[in-house]
Amino acid sequence: METTDMFPYPKEWMSEDDEILASSIREWAEKEVIPNRQEFDEDHNNELIGPAIRKLFVDIGLQKLMWPEKYGGAGLNSPYVSTTIVRALEEVGRADPGIGFIFSGTFSLLAPIAMEPNINEDACTELAPMFCNTKDVRIGSPILPEYGDVDGINAGSIYGRVIKATAKNDGDSVTISGRKLRPLSSGGAANLFGVFCAAKGLERDDIVYVLVPADSEGIRMEEPYKKTGLVSDRNADVWFENVRVPRKYAALQRGGAECFKEVLSWHGLCASAVCIGSMMDVYEIVKEWGNTRTISGKPLKENSVDAAVLAEVANHVAVSRILTWNVARMLAKPDVYGEAWSDKMFTTARAVALHVTSSAVSAIGKAMELMASQGYATEGDVEKHWRDVKTIEVCTGKVPGMMDIARWYYDCKTL
Amino acid sequence: MTTIDDFTRPKEFLSPLEKYIGGMIREWAENDVIPYRRKFNEDWKDHNWVEPAMKKLYVDIGLQKAVWPKEVGGWGLGQSDHVGTLMARVFEEVGRADTGIAVASAVTFWPLIMIALKPHINEELCAEFAPMFCDADEPRFAANAMTEPQGGSDIENMGNMGGKTITTTAELDGDEWVINGHKLWPTNTGGVADLFGVICTTKQGSSDEDDFAFIFVPADTEGVTQGEPYKKAGMAADKNSDIWFENVRVPKKYRAWGAGDDAKYFREVINWGSMSSAAFCVGAMMNTYEILKEYCSNKIFRGKPLKENTAVAAVLSDIAKDIEICRIATYQSARTLDRPELYWDKWSHEGVAKSRAVKMHVADKCIEVTNNAASLMGTYGCDRDWDVEKHWRDVKMIQLWMGGKQLCQMETARWFYGCETL
Ligand SMILES: Cc1cc2nc3c(=O)[nH]c(=O)nc-3n(C[C@H](O)[C@H](O)[C@H](O)COP(=O)(O)OP(=O)(O)OC[C@H]3O[C@@H](n4cnc5c(N)ncnc54)[C@H](O)[C@@H]3O)c2cc1C
């Protein structure tokens, strides 16, 4: 039986098109990624990763997926896209969580302006062609508020995080400033940033979400920093020095907090799906190892102590998958479960993302326990997944995530 | 201000030399390793950054002479009553800087336990091999070749398997051992080591401890071939590769002790390996504590350092608690090696089980500590510039090596519960 069928997920929520997309991604993974991924760490000139991303984003067309049809996109911009996205990202994550994470940022950044029912026609008209009328890869990079700052900068705060960037009213434009901002992903490769800013003199709210094309004057993207995993995702700190963008790029008709929760709800779903793909790949690898490795005179999996660890691996995958698909369904049915930006949906999506990402670190760590040196060696194909999911987990923000959950479930007022 | 030196250890166990030697290594770590260690990851194959640091530690400080008897030019620590706790301190300090260098140093000492530690000092072999390490102004490494392609755990599981799965054979031909086999993964391979301790069998498939042989093989002996180093998740300062032995001939006297005693003292090797692994972990955890303390003191949230936030303080507290407990346990484990008359023979099954229990606990905690520290730091936790992620990647292997966690569990259960078939 195929691994994707072994771990339960509610199939009645999926369409035939979703399966078609997933199988074209599987084909892409087998051809473009899996044979090369052990070399990704040393692909300094982007010779392996670049073409693989291009095939997925441009040829298969993921970068158009969520733009409305009338602006040249694939029109999957209703909340129903959630199950499509999860199935697609499971397949991407199975091959390379880093590419999955790039797409997670690119997709969720657009939710506040392109997702029904809040389509911002002005912003879509201007920005969709960047992604839809091109043969080049286009990447989005969300810049979220951080949990604390070394210089104590606190231009504003939102849901227990500090906002370091500001957006100033400048007539027809908005001027963005912010030093050394660390995006969630792709800071060194982005074409479009989605930045949460403290609003200065703007009519709306104290927080505003602004889309900023990366080629705007005054933006400095640092060299990508080296990190544990997700090497495909070139993340870097970004500086904005009086960057002027047209006023219509600011999501002024929506509250900043609302956009923040919407982006994070969707991003949590995407990150969870990527981790499930990664865990499923490791499950297959450790299964093969358990069948063929001999310990104490019998197959490893027939030693009860090892079987118990194998069970933990499978358990993490099974439960995480059910949870993630349920969040996808909840996001698809705002009439039943609340909007993506409601406190309730945001909390559920955070809780599941925290659970699934840390389950992935645990499950893959357990698989490594059984594979010993082979698990630790790059050629064993497991250690990269382990580093990748850990990097995703830290990006989900453990302490602020816990505070999000406590805030909603216990009505905390000061967190 | 509280520092890493405030983590508790039993002071009455410490060696009179430990302040001096520990201090020198601390200084070396600060000057020669910590500023450069972020470059180690890319340097895994060439060791351009690692080698100068190794040279300072091995040659300038002189660690490569440590266990050899004074009569043959060494420091004579093998005859000391404090070698266990002194080595715990040394490995903790090295591990604080880099657990890859810690394992490379400890393994240089590891096979020598067979011949250079009292009460079983093999004077003939010490005289033969000590000059390689003591009369050198270049770093010299040893390796302990146990693991084979079909598996490492069963080879180390002497209590149950008795060496039955070893396929590297040693045959006596006149006055020479002829060795054939394939080992993989030993620390300090890939062209690094000058001397191997090779685990062999004199009768393939036998689980009689008399057939277990520990034979020294200089790396330049004809018939020895080493492969290229493997790429791995961390521990870049340690090179690991294949070694092939093809009709390798060494003098008969290169077998450490002979039938029965080789297996017996090999258990002591395991015991030491476990204690040293725990010490590396304590060092890595203490450094994680330092980094986290800096991060959480300087990063401000709502006008207060992060550490003043109660949710953060709770995580920080768990980390300090684990280091406190692991450090005490590690020094206690080391002390048992220094006072066998009070505890147990260093080569007893009891010693192996108890040191494996400590290693398992400390390695698990170390993974948890570095993992939680990285999570607490958010995107900075996976940023190489902060070094916590390096420790997290490196220390995972400490849990996996020497037969992995499950072998530790089986050996602990076997001794404490009298299990007979594990
Ligand atoms: C950085 C590094 C340094 C190393 N240094 C050395 C060295 O110096 N010398 C050397 O010889 N090797 C060394 N190794 C190899 C290491 O010690 C072995 O990987 C380890 O002993 C496990 O062996 P294996 O990988 O063959 O796994 P296997 O033996 O195949 O074991 C697989 C898994 O089986 C489980 N298992 C083990 N025993 C039992 C049991 N009794 N019952 C049930 N389950 C069990 C464990 O989970 C284990 O992890 C090193 C490896 C690395 C990466």
Side-chain angles (χ1 to χ4, degrees), chain B residues 97-144:
Chain B
D98 183 87
T99 45
I101 297 191
V103 68
S105 343
V107 168
T108 287
F109 158 72
W110 211 17
L112 310 181
I113 288 165
M114 293 294 293
I115 55 166
L117 251 61
K118 73 172 187 183
H120 46 88
I121 296 176
N122 182 329
E123 286 172 9
E124 193 181 15
L125 287 187
C126 283
E128 181 91 5
F129 296 124
M132 194 188 274
F133 295 81
C134 302
D135 300 343
D137 42 23
E138 285 302 318
R140 300 286 190 206
F141 296 86
N144 204 23

Side-chain angles (χ1 to χ4, degrees), chain A residues 289 293-296 300 303 305-306 368-374 376, chain B residues 103 107 110 144-154 156-157 184-187 232 235 238 240 397 400-407 410 422:
Chain A
W289 177 262
R293 194 68 168 177
T294 303
I295 293 289
S296 291
L300 179 118
N303 287 274
V305 60
D306 302 319
M368 288 170 80
E369 260 179 38
L370 297 180
M371 294 180 63
S373 294
Q374 182 69 2
Y376 201 67
Chain B
V103 68
V107 168
W110 211 17
N144 204 23
M146 307 177 293
T147 307
E148 296 185 358
Q150 77 284 0
S153 311
D154 283 348
E156 289 193 39
N157 187 356
L184 37 89
W185 280 108
T187 285
K232 51 197 194 298
M235 291 259 167
D238 178 22
N240 317 85
M397 192 57 220
L400 307 181
W401 69 35
M402 290 186 65
K405 175 165 173 169
Q406 282 64 33
L407 181 57
M410 296 308 103
L422 301 179

